[in-house]
Amino acid sequence: MFRYSDEMISFLREHKEKMKYIELTKEFNKRFGQNKSIRAIKRVCFDNELCKKVRYDNEIKEFIKDIISGLSYSEITKIVNEKFKTNKSVRQIKSFCIYHNIYNGKGKKIPEQFVFTDEMIKFIKKNIQNMKYNELTVQFNKYFSVNISKSILKNKCYSLGFFNGVTFDQPLFTEHLGKDGYLIKTEKGWIPKQRFLWEQKNGPVPDGYCIIFADGDKTNFNENNLIKVNRKEHFHLNKRKLRFSDPEYTKAGLNIVKLFLKAEERQKEIDDEEPEKKNQPEEA
């Protein structure tokens, strides 16, 4: 195992803030006759606490909420980096905003913000049999002078039971196989079949939760293959690539995610407690 000398660490500490990692790696290899990758240099900097660990605390989250309306993610990123002395990319800021359900109101609207009128629903019902969802979305936006996404329109169609090539008047518990899996018609409208089956056994799915397939197979409705996860857990399962074709591995991955989120929550509590301790007067 390669061991970094004190001289190497001192070199990285001295030049870390002056150079980007690609430049720092090049100079390091040149100075010490090494062939280290950028990833290796990043790792040693992190392990030796040569770079500041920046995380989004409540202050930054609230700041983004205050400024986000009407701004592009590029503009938001620039403002956040300038104020908090960070160096985040547009992609990182956008992912953070979506993760925390913070939207800038530009372009596409989220489902909760868009209300379909009776006239809009009649338009959808009239045209869905003759158009694919892409074309229907374009014509819908043009006709009503709005700018919603295909996914919002498609989800509305699903909830109303409007499908391409399917008649509208379907009996209860009719199933429909769409691109995203099976839907089933209930008294509350069309819902994912896995949600329906899970609720039959366990009761209503709480707000903010969804039902996923442990093995990734959207046709495997075995009771042991259906898992309830919240949005954060679902996000980290995908981000950390902890979903597998083996359902037991996915369940183990979910336990890892839950431990990670618990640790993250505790760390935030500790960070919030430290300023309070510093501000308390010392006992004589």
Side-chain angles (χ1 to χ4, degrees), residues 130-173:
N130 304 316
M131 300 181 187
K132 293 185 177 180
Y133 289 110
N134 281 332
E135 183 183 359
L136 181 62
T137 304
V138 171
Q139 294 301 323
F140 181 92
N141 286 332
K142 183 178 180 181
Y143 188 86
F144 292 103
S145 299
V146 294
N147 188 27
I148 65 171
S149 66
K150 182 182 78 171
S151 63
I152 292 176
L153 184 64
K154 190 174 181 179
N155 287 338
K156 185 63 177 178
C157 291
Y158 278 12
S159 67
L160 294 170
F162 296 172
F163 305 112
N164 295 129
V166 179
T167 58
F168 301 129
D169 299 324
Q170 298 286 338
L172 285 176
F173 311 119

mmCIF file of all heavy atoms in Angstrom, residues 130-173:
data_model
loop_
_atom_site.group_PDB
_atom_site.id
_atom_site.type_symbol
_atom_site.label_atom_id
_atom_site.label_comp_id
_atom_site.label_asym_id
_atom_site.label_seq_id
_atom_site.Cartn_x
_atom_site.Cartn_y
_atom_site.Cartn_z
ATOM 1 N N ASN A 130 -56.041 9.439 -30.350
ATOM 2 C CA ASN A 130 -55.444 9.709 -31.667
ATOM 3 C C ASN A 130 -54.016 10.228 -31.584
ATOM 4 O O ASN A 130 -53.388 10.459 -32.615
ATOM 5 C CB ASN A 130 -56.296 10.737 -32.419
ATOM 6 C CG ASN A 130 -57.740 10.291 -32.558
ATOM 7 O OD1 ASN A 130 -58.004 9.131 -32.878
ATOM 8 N ND2 ASN A 130 -58.679 11.197 -32.299
ATOM 9 N N MET A 131 -53.502 10.441 -30.373
ATOM 10 C CA MET A 131 -52.159 11.015 -30.227
ATOM 11 C C MET A 131 -51.343 10.235 -29.210
ATOM 12 O O MET A 131 -51.880 9.728 -28.233
ATOM 13 C CB MET A 131 -52.237 12.474 -29.752
ATOM 14 C CG MET A 131 -52.974 13.428 -30.651
ATOM 15 S SD MET A 131 -52.933 15.112 -29.943
ATOM 16 C CE MET A 131 -54.045 15.960 -31.095
ATOM 17 N N LYS A 132 -50.027 10.188 -29.436
ATOM 18 C CA LYS A 132 -49.121 9.682 -28.419
ATOM 19 C C LYS A 132 -48.899 10.791 -27.393
ATOM 20 O O LYS A 132 -49.190 11.954 -27.635
ATOM 21 C CB LYS A 132 -47.803 9.259 -29.056
ATOM 22 C CG LYS A 132 -47.948 8.044 -29.979
ATOM 23 C CD LYS A 132 -46.618 7.576 -30.485
ATOM 24 C CE LYS A 132 -46.775 6.312 -31.335
ATOM 25 N NZ LYS A 132 -45.468 5.831 -31.848
ATOM 26 N N TYR A 133 -48.357 10.424 -26.235
ATOM 27 C CA TYR A 133 -48.243 11.386 -25.148
ATOM 28 C C TYR A 133 -47.372 12.594 -25.509
ATOM 29 O O TYR A 133 -47.647 13.719 -25.078
ATOM 30 C CB TYR A 133 -47.700 10.703 -23.886
ATOM 31 C CG TYR A 133 -48.701 9.776 -23.251
ATOM 32 C CD1 TYR A 133 -48.517 8.390 -23.273
ATOM 33 C CD2 TYR A 133 -49.841 10.272 -22.630
ATOM 34 C CE1 TYR A 133 -49.438 7.537 -22.695
ATOM 35 C CE2 TYR A 133 -50.778 9.413 -22.054
ATOM 36 C CZ TYR A 133 -50.568 8.055 -22.090
ATOM 37 O OH TYR A 133 -51.487 7.213 -21.524
ATOM 38 N N ASN A 134 -46.322 12.374 -26.290
ATOM 39 C CA ASN A 134 -45.472 13.508 -26.695
ATOM 40 C C ASN A 134 -46.271 14.532 -27.483
ATOM 41 O O ASN A 134 -46.237 15.736 -27.208
ATOM 42 C CB ASN A 134 -44.286 13.011 -27.535
ATOM 43 C CG ASN A 134 -43.187 12.413 -26.680
ATOM 44 O OD1 ASN A 134 -43.021 12.788 -25.519
ATOM 45 N ND2 ASN A 134 -42.436 11.492 -27.248
ATOM 46 N N GLU A 135 -46.977 14.048 -28.489
ATOM 47 C CA GLU A 135 -47.770 14.940 -29.343
ATOM 48 C C GLU A 135 -48.911 15.571 -28.550
ATOM 49 O O GLU A 135 -49.207 16.763 -28.701
ATOM 50 C CB GLU A 135 -48.333 14.160 -30.531
ATOM 51 C CG GLU A 135 -49.112 15.039 -31.516
ATOM 52 C CD GLU A 135 -49.736 14.254 -32.648
ATOM 53 O OE1 GLU A 135 -49.549 13.008 -32.691
ATOM 54 O OE2 GLU A 135 -50.426 14.879 -33.487
ATOM 55 N N LEU A 136 -49.544 14.782 -27.689
ATOM 56 C CA LEU A 136 -50.648 15.298 -26.890
ATOM 57 C C LEU A 136 -50.176 16.433 -25.982
ATOM 58 O O LEU A 136 -50.866 17.447 -25.826
ATOM 59 C CB LEU A 136 -51.255 14.173 -26.048
ATOM 60 C CG LEU A 136 -52.451 14.555 -25.168
ATOM 61 C CD1 LEU A 136 -53.623 15.038 -26.026
ATOM 62 C CD2 LEU A 136 -52.876 13.365 -24.305
ATOM 63 N N THR A 137 -49.003 16.279 -25.401
ATOM 64 C CA THR A 137 -48.454 17.317 -24.525
ATOM 65 C C THR A 137 -48.195 18.602 -25.305
ATOM 66 O O THR A 137 -48.513 19.703 -24.837
ATOM 67 C CB THR A 137 -47.149 16.830 -23.869
ATOM 68 O OG1 THR A 137 -47.388 15.614 -23.164
ATOM 69 C CG2 THR A 137 -46.611 17.878 -22.898
ATOM 70 N N VAL A 138 -47.619 18.455 -26.485
ATOM 71 C CA VAL A 138 -47.341 19.633 -27.321
ATOM 72 C C VAL A 138 -48.633 20.362 -27.671
ATOM 73 O O VAL A 138 -48.730 21.597 -27.539
ATOM 74 C CB VAL A 138 -46.598 19.222 -28.612
ATOM 75 C CG1 VAL A 138 -46.509 20.409 -29.578
ATOM 76 C CG2 VAL A 138 -45.202 18.710 -28.279
ATOM 77 N N GLN A 139 -49.634 19.611 -28.114
ATOM 78 C CA GLN A 139 -50.898 20.219 -28.514
ATOM 79 C C GLN A 139 -51.632 20.815 -27.306
ATOM 80 O O GLN A 139 -52.266 21.871 -27.413
ATOM 81 C CB GLN A 139 -51.787 19.177 -29.208
ATOM 82 C CG GLN A 139 -51.230 18.678 -30.532
ATOM 83 C CD GLN A 139 -51.016 19.810 -31.527
ATOM 84 O OE1 GLN A 139 -51.781 20.757 -31.611
ATOM 85 N NE2 GLN A 139 -49.918 19.699 -32.284
ATOM 86 N N PHE A 140 -51.562 20.139 -26.173
ATOM 87 C CA PHE A 140 -52.200 20.628 -24.948
ATOM 88 C C PHE A 140 -51.596 21.971 -24.530
ATOM 89 O O PHE A 140 -52.318 22.937 -24.234
ATOM 90 C CB PHE A 140 -52.018 19.598 -23.836
ATOM 91 C CG PHE A 140 -52.656 19.989 -22.527
ATOM 92 C CD1 PHE A 140 -53.952 19.606 -22.223
ATOM 93 C CD2 PHE A 140 -51.950 20.735 -21.585
ATOM 94 C CE1 PHE A 140 -54.540 19.959 -21.006
ATOM 95 C CE2 PHE A 140 -52.530 21.097 -20.378
ATOM 96 C CZ PHE A 140 -53.823 20.712 -20.095
ATOM 97 N N ASN A 141 -50.263 22.046 -24.489
ATOM 98 C CA ASN A 141 -49.584 23.294 -24.105
ATOM 99 C C ASN A 141 -49.892 24.430 -25.073
ATOM 100 O O ASN A 141 -50.082 25.583 -24.664
ATOM 101 C CB ASN A 141 -48.079 23.063 -24.027
ATOM 102 C CG ASN A 141 -47.667 22.263 -22.803
ATOM 103 O OD1 ASN A 141 -48.345 22.296 -21.780
ATOM 104 N ND2 ASN A 141 -46.565 21.548 -22.895
ATOM 105 N N LYS A 142 -49.938 24.079 -26.357
ATOM 106 C CA LYS A 142 -50.225 25.090 -27.381
ATOM 107 C C LYS A 142 -51.656 25.597 -27.271
ATOM 108 O O LYS A 142 -51.909 26.809 -27.351
ATOM 109 C CB LYS A 142 -49.980 24.485 -28.768
ATOM 110 C CG LYS A 142 -50.176 25.460 -29.916
ATOM 111 C CD LYS A 142 -49.856 24.782 -31.243
ATOM 112 C CE LYS A 142 -50.055 25.737 -32.409
ATOM 113 N NZ LYS A 142 -49.764 25.072 -33.710
ATOM 114 N N TYR A 143 -52.587 24.693 -27.046
ATOM 115 C CA TYR A 143 -54.012 25.061 -27.011
ATOM 116 C C TYR A 143 -54.342 25.902 -25.786
ATOM 117 O O TYR A 143 -55.103 26.867 -25.862
ATOM 118 C CB TYR A 143 -54.868 23.788 -27.015
ATOM 119 C CG TYR A 143 -56.352 24.034 -27.175
ATOM 120 C CD1 TYR A 143 -56.920 24.168 -28.445
ATOM 121 C CD2 TYR A 143 -57.179 24.140 -26.060
ATOM 122 C CE1 TYR A 143 -58.279 24.405 -28.589
ATOM 123 C CE2 TYR A 143 -58.539 24.372 -26.192
ATOM 124 C CZ TYR A 143 -59.089 24.511 -27.466
ATOM 125 O OH TYR A 143 -60.437 24.752 -27.602
ATOM 126 N N PHE A 144 -53.738 25.553 -24.632
ATOM 127 C CA PHE A 144 -54.087 26.247 -23.386
ATOM 128 C C PHE A 144 -53.020 27.262 -22.953
ATOM 129 O O PHE A 144 -53.122 27.856 -21.875
ATOM 130 C CB PHE A 144 -54.315 25.227 -22.269
ATOM 131 C CG PHE A 144 -55.538 24.375 -22.477
ATOM 132 C CD1 PHE A 144 -55.421 23.067 -22.917
ATOM 133 C CD2 PHE A 144 -56.814 24.891 -22.254
ATOM 134 C CE1 PHE A 144 -56.551 22.279 -23.119
ATOM 135 C CE2 PHE A 144 -57.943 24.108 -22.454
ATOM 136 C CZ PHE A 144 -57.810 22.796 -22.890
ATOM 137 N N SER A 145 -51.986 27.441 -23.787
ATOM 138 C CA SER A 145 -50.908 28.403 -23.496
ATOM 139 C C SER A 145 -50.268 28.139 -22.134
ATOM 140 O O SER A 145 -50.088 29.045 -21.301
ATOM 141 C CB SER A 145 -51.446 29.840 -23.552
ATOM 142 O OG SER A 145 -51.940 30.143 -24.835
ATOM 143 N N VAL A 146 -49.922 26.869 -21.885
ATOM 144 C CA VAL A 146 -49.241 26.492 -20.656
ATOM 145 C C VAL A 146 -47.942 25.776 -21.035
ATOM 146 O O VAL A 146 -47.613 25.663 -22.213
ATOM 147 C CB VAL A 146 -50.125 25.579 -19.781
ATOM 148 C CG1 VAL A 146 -51.340 26.348 -19.289
ATOM 149 C CG2 VAL A 146 -50.559 24.325 -20.544
ATOM 150 N N ASN A 147 -47.210 25.304 -20.034
ATOM 151 C CA ASN A 147 -45.939 24.638 -20.322
ATOM 152 C C ASN A 147 -45.692 23.509 -19.324
ATOM 153 O O ASN A 147 -44.754 23.535 -18.547
ATOM 154 C CB ASN A 147 -44.784 25.646 -20.264
ATOM 155 C CG ASN A 147 -43.478 25.033 -20.734
ATOM 156 O OD1 ASN A 147 -43.471 24.094 -21.527
ATOM 157 N ND2 ASN A 147 -42.369 25.545 -20.235
ATOM 158 N N ILE A 148 -46.561 22.499 -19.332
ATOM 159 C CA ILE A 148 -46.385 21.371 -18.427
ATOM 160 C C ILE A 148 -45.608 20.269 -19.137
ATOM 161 O O ILE A 148 -45.525 20.229 -20.365
ATOM 162 C CB ILE A 148 -47.734 20.830 -17.910
ATOM 163 C CG1 ILE A 148 -48.557 20.248 -19.064
ATOM 164 C CG2 ILE A 148 -48.509 21.908 -17.175
ATOM 165 C CD1 ILE A 148 -49.802 19.498 -18.602
ATOM 166 N N SER A 149 -45.037 19.366 -18.353
ATOM 167 C CA SER A 149 -44.246 18.280 -18.919
ATOM 168 C C SER A 149 -45.134 17.111 -19.337
ATOM 169 O O SER A 149 -46.286 16.993 -18.916
ATOM 170 C CB SER A 149 -43.229 17.783 -17.886
ATOM 171 O OG SER A 149 -43.895 17.180 -16.801
ATOM 172 N N LYS A 150 -44.549 16.233 -20.130
ATOM 173 C CA LYS A 150 -45.273 15.030 -20.550
ATOM 174 C C LYS A 150 -45.629 14.168 -19.347
ATOM 175 O O LYS A 150 -46.714 13.589 -19.282
ATOM 176 C CB LYS A 150 -44.421 14.220 -21.536
ATOM 177 C CG LYS A 150 -45.138 12.975 -22.042
ATOM 178 C CD LYS A 150 -44.265 12.157 -22.983
ATOM 179 C CE LYS A 150 -43.257 11.348 -22.224
ATOM 180 N NZ LYS A 150 -42.538 10.374 -23.089
ATOM 181 N N SER A 151 -44.714 14.083 -18.368
ATOM 182 C CA SER A 151 -44.960 13.228 -17.210
ATOM 183 C C SER A 151 -46.160 13.701 -16.396
ATOM 184 O O SER A 151 -46.941 12.887 -15.893
ATOM 185 C CB SER A 151 -43.713 13.164 -16.316
ATOM 186 O OG SER A 151 -43.402 14.442 -15.805
ATOM 187 N N ILE A 152 -46.327 15.032 -16.269
ATOM 188 C CA ILE A 152 -47.478 15.563 -15.534
ATOM 189 C C ILE A 152 -48.771 15.223 -16.268
ATOM 190 O O ILE A 152 -49.756 14.772 -15.660
ATOM 191 C CB ILE A 152 -47.355 17.088 -15.350
ATOM 192 C CG1 ILE A 152 -46.193 17.409 -14.412
ATOM 193 C CG2 ILE A 152 -48.653 17.686 -14.803
ATOM 194 C CD1 ILE A 152 -45.925 18.880 -14.250
ATOM 195 N N LEU A 153 -48.773 15.428 -17.572
ATOM 196 C CA LEU A 153 -49.961 15.126 -18.366
ATOM 197 C C LEU A 153 -50.255 13.626 -18.345
ATOM 198 O O LEU A 153 -51.408 13.202 -18.202
ATOM 199 C CB LEU A 153 -49.764 15.611 -19.804
ATOM 200 C CG LEU A 153 -50.967 15.451 -20.737
ATOM 201 C CD1 LEU A 153 -52.125 16.319 -20.250
ATOM 202 C CD2 LEU A 153 -50.604 15.825 -22.167
ATOM 203 N N LYS A 154 -49.208 12.828 -18.447
ATOM 204 C CA LYS A 154 -49.367 11.373 -18.469
ATOM 205 C C LYS A 154 -49.916 10.876 -17.137
ATOM 206 O O LYS A 154 -50.805 10.011 -17.108
ATOM 207 C CB LYS A 154 -48.015 10.724 -18.762
ATOM 208 C CG LYS A 154 -48.089 9.239 -19.050
ATOM 209 C CD LYS A 154 -46.710 8.728 -19.464
ATOM 210 C CE LYS A 154 -46.751 7.244 -19.776
ATOM 211 N NZ LYS A 154 -45.420 6.734 -20.197
ATOM 212 N N ASN A 155 -49.396 11.408 -16.034
ATOM 213 C CA ASN A 155 -49.892 11.008 -14.713
ATOM 214 C C ASN A 155 -51.362 11.367 -14.541
ATOM 215 O O ASN A 155 -52.133 10.617 -13.933
ATOM 216 C CB ASN A 155 -49.067 11.680 -13.618
ATOM 217 C CG ASN A 155 -47.690 11.083 -13.490
ATOM 218 O OD1 ASN A 155 -47.459 9.948 -13.893
ATOM 219 N ND2 ASN A 155 -46.749 11.848 -12.944
ATOM 220 N N LYS A 156 -51.750 12.530 -15.083
ATOM 221 C CA LYS A 156 -53.154 12.930 -15.007
ATOM 222 C C LYS A 156 -54.015 11.978 -15.822
ATOM 223 O O LYS A 156 -55.111 11.582 -15.389
ATOM 224 C CB LYS A 156 -53.317 14.369 -15.514
ATOM 225 C CG LYS A 156 -54.738 14.915 -15.347
ATOM 226 C CD LYS A 156 -55.127 14.985 -13.888
ATOM 227 C CE LYS A 156 -56.499 15.594 -13.693
ATOM 228 N NZ LYS A 156 -56.896 15.616 -12.262
ATOM 229 N N CYS A 157 -53.536 11.606 -16.986
ATOM 230 C CA CYS A 157 -54.267 10.644 -17.819
ATOM 231 C C CYS A 157 -54.451 9.323 -17.073
ATOM 232 O O CYS A 157 -55.530 8.727 -17.086
ATOM 233 C CB CYS A 157 -53.515 10.401 -19.126
ATOM 234 S SG CYS A 157 -53.507 11.812 -20.253
ATOM 235 N N TYR A 158 -53.382 8.872 -16.422
ATOM 236 C CA TYR A 158 -53.446 7.621 -15.674
ATOM 237 C C TYR A 158 -54.486 7.698 -14.564
ATOM 238 O O TYR A 158 -55.268 6.769 -14.357
ATOM 239 C CB TYR A 158 -52.076 7.303 -15.071
ATOM 240 C CG TYR A 158 -51.110 6.641 -16.025
ATOM 241 C CD1 TYR A 158 -51.376 6.587 -17.390
ATOM 242 C CD2 TYR A 158 -49.925 6.073 -15.571
ATOM 243 C CE1 TYR A 158 -50.493 5.993 -18.264
ATOM 244 C CE2 TYR A 158 -49.030 5.465 -16.446
ATOM 245 C CZ TYR A 158 -49.325 5.426 -17.797
ATOM 246 O OH TYR A 158 -48.450 4.830 -18.657
ATOM 247 N N SER A 159 -54.461 8.811 -13.816
ATOM 248 C CA SER A 159 -55.393 8.936 -12.691
ATOM 249 C C SER A 159 -56.843 8.979 -13.162
ATOM 250 O O SER A 159 -57.757 8.554 -12.452
ATOM 251 C CB SER A 159 -55.067 10.189 -11.879
ATOM 252 O OG SER A 159 -55.320 11.370 -12.629
ATOM 253 N N LEU A 160 -57.057 9.505 -14.374
ATOM 254 C CA LEU A 160 -58.406 9.578 -14.926
ATOM 255 C C LEU A 160 -58.793 8.301 -15.663
ATOM 256 O O LEU A 160 -59.965 8.105 -16.000
ATOM 257 C CB LEU A 160 -58.513 10.766 -15.889
ATOM 258 C CG LEU A 160 -58.365 12.165 -15.273
ATOM 259 C CD1 LEU A 160 -58.241 13.212 -16.368
ATOM 260 C CD2 LEU A 160 -59.549 12.477 -14.369
ATOM 261 N N GLY A 161 -57.810 7.453 -15.918
ATOM 262 C CA GLY A 161 -58.087 6.229 -16.664
ATOM 263 C C GLY A 161 -58.116 6.464 -18.162
ATOM 264 O O GLY A 161 -58.772 5.722 -18.901
ATOM 265 N N PHE A 162 -57.398 7.490 -18.633
ATOM 266 C CA PHE A 162 -57.329 7.767 -20.067
ATOM 267 C C PHE A 162 -56.025 7.178 -20.593
ATOM 268 O O PHE A 162 -54.938 7.677 -20.296
ATOM 269 C CB PHE A 162 -57.325 9.276 -20.333
ATOM 270 C CG PHE A 162 -58.598 9.977 -19.908
ATOM 271 C CD1 PHE A 162 -58.666 11.359 -19.935
ATOM 272 C CD2 PHE A 162 -59.718 9.277 -19.515
ATOM 273 C CE1 PHE A 162 -59.831 12.031 -19.558
ATOM 274 C CE2 PHE A 162 -60.880 9.925 -19.132
ATOM 275 C CZ PHE A 162 -60.933 11.302 -19.150
ATOM 276 N N PHE A 163 -56.105 6.112 -21.373
ATOM 277 C CA PHE A 163 -54.920 5.471 -21.908
ATOM 278 C C PHE A 163 -55.019 5.364 -23.422
ATOM 279 O O PHE A 163 -56.107 5.228 -23.978
ATOM 280 C CB PHE A 163 -54.741 4.062 -21.322
ATOM 281 C CG PHE A 163 -54.724 4.030 -19.817
ATOM 282 C CD1 PHE A 163 -55.758 3.437 -19.113
ATOM 283 C CD2 PHE A 163 -53.692 4.612 -19.114
ATOM 284 C CE1 PHE A 163 -55.746 3.397 -17.729
ATOM 285 C CE2 PHE A 163 -53.665 4.586 -17.731
ATOM 286 C CZ PHE A 163 -54.701 3.982 -17.043
ATOM 287 N N ASN A 164 -53.862 5.388 -24.066
ATOM 288 C CA ASN A 164 -53.834 5.169 -25.510
ATOM 289 C C ASN A 164 -54.372 3.783 -25.833
ATOM 290 O O ASN A 164 -53.906 2.783 -25.291
ATOM 291 C CB ASN A 164 -52.405 5.276 -26.045
ATOM 292 C CG ASN A 164 -51.835 6.675 -25.897
ATOM 293 O OD1 ASN A 164 -50.749 6.841 -25.387
ATOM 294 N ND2 ASN A 164 -52.566 7.673 -26.352
ATOM 295 N N GLY A 165 -55.380 3.716 -26.700
ATOM 296 C CA GLY A 165 -55.898 2.436 -27.157
ATOM 297 C C GLY A 165 -56.773 1.708 -26.166
ATOM 298 O O GLY A 165 -57.080 0.535 -26.351
ATOM 299 N N VAL A 166 -57.187 2.385 -25.076
ATOM 300 C CA VAL A 166 -58.035 1.741 -24.073
ATOM 301 C C VAL A 166 -59.318 2.542 -23.917
ATOM 302 O O VAL A 166 -59.287 3.765 -23.813
ATOM 303 C CB VAL A 166 -57.306 1.661 -22.703
ATOM 304 C CG1 VAL A 166 -58.204 1.009 -21.663
ATOM 305 C CG2 VAL A 166 -56.008 0.879 -22.856
ATOM 306 N N THR A 167 -60.447 1.866 -23.888
ATOM 307 C CA THR A 167 -61.713 2.570 -23.715
ATOM 308 C C THR A 167 -61.809 3.138 -22.311
ATOM 309 O O THR A 167 -61.202 2.633 -21.377
ATOM 310 C CB THR A 167 -62.903 1.615 -23.958
ATOM 311 O OG1 THR A 167 -62.790 0.512 -23.054
ATOM 312 C CG2 THR A 167 -62.908 1.114 -25.381
ATOM 313 N N PHE A 168 -62.593 4.194 -22.152
ATOM 314 C CA PHE A 168 -62.638 4.912 -20.882
ATOM 315 C C PHE A 168 -63.454 4.194 -19.809
ATOM 316 O O PHE A 168 -63.110 4.206 -18.644
ATOM 317 C CB PHE A 168 -63.208 6.313 -21.101
ATOM 318 C CG PHE A 168 -62.406 7.123 -22.077
ATOM 319 C CD1 PHE A 168 -63.032 7.761 -23.136
ATOM 320 C CD2 PHE A 168 -61.042 7.243 -21.936
ATOM 321 C CE1 PHE A 168 -62.290 8.525 -24.026
ATOM 322 C CE2 PHE A 168 -60.291 7.990 -22.823
ATOM 323 C CZ PHE A 168 -60.913 8.636 -23.875
ATOM 324 N N ASP A 169 -64.563 3.612 -20.190
ATOM 325 C CA ASP A 169 -65.467 3.015 -19.207
ATOM 326 C C ASP A 169 -65.040 1.588 -18.877
ATOM 327 O O ASP A 169 -65.514 0.622 -19.464
ATOM 328 C CB ASP A 169 -66.905 3.028 -19.737
ATOM 329 C CG ASP A 169 -67.385 4.447 -19.984
ATOM 330 O OD1 ASP A 169 -67.010 5.333 -19.194
ATOM 331 O OD2 ASP A 169 -68.125 4.657 -20.962
ATOM 332 N N GLN A 170 -64.109 1.481 -17.934
ATOM 333 C CA GLN A 170 -63.608 0.179 -17.518
ATOM 334 C C GLN A 170 -64.189 -0.183 -16.157
ATOM 335 O O GLN A 170 -64.326 0.673 -15.287
ATOM 336 C CB GLN A 170 -62.074 0.215 -17.420
ATOM 337 C CG GLN A 170 -61.369 0.522 -18.732
ATOM 338 C CD GLN A 170 -61.414 -0.656 -19.679
ATOM 339 O OE1 GLN A 170 -61.600 -1.797 -19.257
ATOM 340 N NE2 GLN A 170 -61.269 -0.393 -20.965
ATOM 341 N N PRO A 171 -64.503 -1.461 -15.926
ATOM 342 C CA PRO A 171 -65.015 -1.877 -14.615
ATOM 343 C C PRO A 171 -63.922 -1.809 -13.551
ATOM 344 O O PRO A 171 -62.734 -1.764 -13.867
ATOM 345 C CB PRO A 171 -65.464 -3.324 -14.857
ATOM 346 C CG PRO A 171 -64.653 -3.780 -16.025
ATOM 347 C CD PRO A 171 -64.462 -2.579 -16.902
ATOM 348 N N LEU A 172 -64.332 -1.803 -12.282
ATOM 349 C CA LEU A 172 -63.366 -1.783 -11.180
ATOM 350 C C LEU A 172 -62.432 -2.981 -11.255
ATOM 351 O O LEU A 172 -62.819 -4.073 -11.688
ATOM 352 C CB LEU A 172 -64.100 -1.789 -9.841
ATOM 353 C CG LEU A 172 -64.771 -0.476 -9.407
ATOM 354 C CD1 LEU A 172 -65.526 -0.675 -8.106
ATOM 355 C CD2 LEU A 172 -63.742 0.640 -9.263
ATOM 356 N N PHE A 173 -61.196 -2.756 -10.847
ATOM 357 C CA PHE A 173 -60.143 -3.763 -10.786
ATOM 358 C C PHE A 173 -59.672 -4.218 -12.162
ATOM 359 O O PHE A 173 -59.010 -5.254 -12.293
ATOM 360 C CB PHE A 173 -60.586 -4.970 -9.934
ATOM 361 C CG PHE A 173 -61.160 -4.562 -8.597
ATOM 362 C CD1 PHE A 173 -62.467 -4.874 -8.274
ATOM 363 C CD2 PHE A 173 -60.391 -3.834 -7.707
ATOM 364 C CE1 PHE A 173 -62.999 -4.477 -7.047
ATOM 365 C CE2 PHE A 173 -60.922 -3.432 -6.492
ATOM 366 C CZ PHE A 173 -62.219 -3.757 -6.158
#
